Amino acid sequence: MGRAIRRACGIQRAALVQILRVGAHSQTNAELTVHWNCRIARLDAQRGLLWSGEGNDCHGPFDLIIAADGAGSAVRGLCRQIQCRRHDYASAAIVCLAPLPDALECCVLTQHFSAASHVSVWPVGFSPVVANVDGAPRYVAIAMPVPTQELVQLTSNPGEWLARLRQIQPALAGELAVLPALPKLLSYRYSDVQCAQYFHERVVLIGDAAHAMSPQLGLGASLSLLDAQCLARCIHGANVRHTNVAQALTHFDQLRRPQATTLRRISRIATPFFQSSNALISALREPAVRALAVFGLVK
């Protein structure tokens, strides 16, 4: 019998946002209130209070504040009792979100290698700020690694960035060149975040807010969903056992930390392998990726 091939399945972030929107609006609980696009100005973890906007609008008290606001989590920064350490890599990238639904038949993450550099292209679906309706543009994300010292230069000179992209993937550069305007270029510094604990009082971090890591493994959204599932089970278990929230959060931390720690370590190894411009690593990278592709692990 041949060995079964296992393939990973992912979800586009825009699709996940739409699912959450539909789920929130379908709730019949009259007490449910959803505030979109709010900036959290400050918080009180002990009393479960949040202030939004300019800090004048107070919300709560809440039994639990769940921070799922990504790698640059504002809540994590405001809850100073949660001690975190950020590790910056020598690698960086410029990312572009482009309305190119059929770019190179982009339906999966695709890596295009060329000598000491490469370009990653993957679908992100509909823009999160546009309703998922007929006629709404679909987007792809395009990421190209660059030395950190060149981030400012290239983000402010999109023509030069496009010229570099053309050297690696001319077909994709050609599709971008005919757009009415080149989409905004975003700089991205690879890093990871290690928190001493994922919670304090009535605040708990999940997803990238708790354990951001370099995105080489492509597991950010998946880990966030696993965190959410685990947290829900821990809270439910605390309710059944009539224990307090602090015990539930301690249990959540103990369950989720080992996997996040392991993947962060793997990502630290993978980042220089994929992003380095070192001649030796570049020479080894392409045959290694081709070997992985034979087993369906990358494309």
Side-chain angles (χ1 to χ4, degrees), residues 19-61:
I19 291 171
L20 293 174
R21 283 180 181 269
V22 172
H25 288 302
S26 66
Q27 295 291 324
T28 57
N29 186 348
E31 297 181 358
L32 175 65
T33 303
V34 179
H35 301 275
W36 300 100
N37 300 319
C38 286
R39 183 180 68 86
I40 305 302
R42 58 193 178 99
L43 62 83
D44 185 328
Q46 185 175 21
R47 293 187 293 166
L49 298 174
L50 286 173
W51 286 264
S52 62
E54 298 302 319
N56 299 321
D57 298 327
C58 182
H59 308 276

Side-chain angles (χ1 to χ4, degrees), residues 204-236:
V204 61
L205 311 177
I206 68 171
D208 283 349
H211 41 65
M213 61 188 72
S214 182
Q216 309 306 318
L217 304 181
L219 292 173
S222 299
L223 289 177
S224 298
L225 292 173
L226 289 172
D227 283 353
Q229 180 188 53
C230 181
L231 178 61
R233 289 177 174 174
C234 290
I235 296 297
H236 175 72

Side-chain angles (χ1 to χ4, degrees), residues 13-15 17-18 21 97 124-132 136-139:
R13 294 188 182 215
V17 169
Q18 185 67 10
R21 283 180 181 269
L97 288 178
V124 294
F126 296 90
S127 170
V129 298
V130 178
N132 189 348
R138 289 180 292 129
Y139 287 73

Side-chain angles (χ1 to χ4, degrees), residues 71 87-91 111 188-194 208 211-220 223 258-276:
H87 172 77
D88 289 321
Y89 296 80
S91 308
Q111 307 266 25
Y188 184 90
R189 179 74 182 267
Y190 290 116
S191 63
D192 63 52
V193 174
Q194 183 176 5
D208 283 349
H211 41 65
M213 61 188 72
S214 182
Q216 309 306 318
L217 304 181
L219 292 173
L223 289 177
Q259 183 183 40
T261 299
T262 298
L263 292 175
R264 184 180 64 253
R265 290 171 178 169
I266 294 174
S267 183
R268 283 196 181 186
I269 296 172
T271 298
F273 176 76
F274 281 107
Q275 307 301 334
S276 176

Side-chain angles (χ1 to χ4, degrees), residues 162-289:
L162 188 62
R164 293 196 186 188
L165 177 64
R166 187 173 287 111
Q167 295 175 356
I168 304 170
Q169 184 45 254
L172 182 58
E175 292 200 37
L176 286 172
V178 299
L179 291 176
L182 188 66
K184 182 180 179 180
L185 302 181
L186 306 173
S187 60
Y188 184 90
R189 179 74 182 267
Y190 290 116
S191 63
D192 63 52
V193 174
Q194 183 176 5
C195 296
Q197 62 185 45
Y198 294 159
F199 68 95
H200 174 71
E201 297 287 353
R202 299 191 192 186
V203 174
V204 61
L205 311 177
I206 68 171
D208 283 349
H211 41 65
M213 61 188 72
S214 182
Q216 309 306 318
L217 304 181
L219 292 173
S222 299
L223 289 177
S224 298
L225 292 173
L226 289 172
D227 283 353
Q229 180 188 53
C230 181
L231 178 61
R233 289 177 174 174
C234 290
I235 296 297
H236 175 72
N239 290 335
V240 171
R241 295 189 299 271
H242 302 289
T243 54
N244 58 37
V245 173
Q247 290 175 299
L249 298 183
T250 299
H251 191 208
F252 164 76
D253 193 304
Q254 293 170 343
L255 290 174
R256 296 302 301 145
R257 183 173 297 277
Q259 183 183 40
T261 299
T262 298
L263 292 175
R264 184 180 64 253
R265 290 171 178 169
I266 294 174
S267 183
R268 283 196 181 186
I269 296 172
T271 298
F273 176 76
F274 281 107
Q275 307 301 334
S276 176
S277 59
N278 178 276
L280 177 59
I281 294 179
S282 298
L284 295 174
R285 184 164 51 208
E286 185 171 349
V289 171

